[in-house]
Amino acid sequence: MLAPGLEGEDTHDFSLERDPYALVTHLLYHIRDKRRDLAAIIASGQGEGFWGPFQQWVAGPLLERMLEGRDKETLAIPYSFLAGHIANSLIYLIRWWMEQGMTAAPEEMAAIF
């Protein structure tokens, strides 16, 4: 789920996308597909073993891909703040989605994000 690159898959293919909405939608498909595993990790008290590396991945490789072609120095806010904000917002969105039973489609959740 946290691979640096995106490849085509049986149920969806976002491998050529650079659009943040498409990238988040792709990620949410994986979260939904692995929801039982993720719920078990969280229930076991090992959630930080997932959320910590996940936060670093979102703030690093995923954000880099979202901002591809843009100069970090010309952003309206400091890059380090943006990275933390995006990562924590996405984690909160996923946790909330899980609490709601994940009934909304990944596309709906990506639109909220």
Side-chain angles (χ1 to χ4, degrees):
M1 183 165 40
L2 302 180
L6 298 177
E7 298 176 5
E9 299 172 59
D10 293 338
T11 59
H12 58 279
D13 184 2
F14 292 91
S15 59
L16 301 177
E17 291 292 340
R18 301 274 186 255
D19 173 56
Y21 171 80
L23 293 170
V24 170
T25 301
H26 181 230
L27 173 66
L28 293 174
Y29 268 100
H30 286 284
I31 295 290
R32 187 183 68 181
D33 290 347
K34 300 293 184 184
R35 66 182 169 266
R36 286 186 179 87
D37 295 337
L38 184 53
I41 290 168
I42 293 168
S44 73
Q46 301 300 313
E48 283 308 308
F50 173 79
W51 294 119
F54 182 79
Q55 181 180 24
Q56 292 173 354
W57 179 79
V58 171
L62 182 63
L63 186 57
E64 289 289 330
R65 184 145 181 186
M66 287 177 165
L67 295 177
E68 201 167 80
R70 298 179 75 183
D71 182 7
K72 293 181 206 174
E73 302 301 318
T74 61
L75 296 173
I77 59 176
Y79 181 78
S80 60
F81 176 82
L82 178 63
H85 176 68
I86 294 292
N88 287 307
S89 294
L90 186 55
I91 288 170
Y92 184 81
L93 176 88
I94 293 167
R95 286 180 167 175
W96 181 84
W97 189 34
M98 291 177 73
E99 290 170 5
Q100 304 306 309
M102 297 181 110
T103 56
E107 290 85 358
E108 292 176 69
M109 297 310 298
I112 291 171
F113 179 73

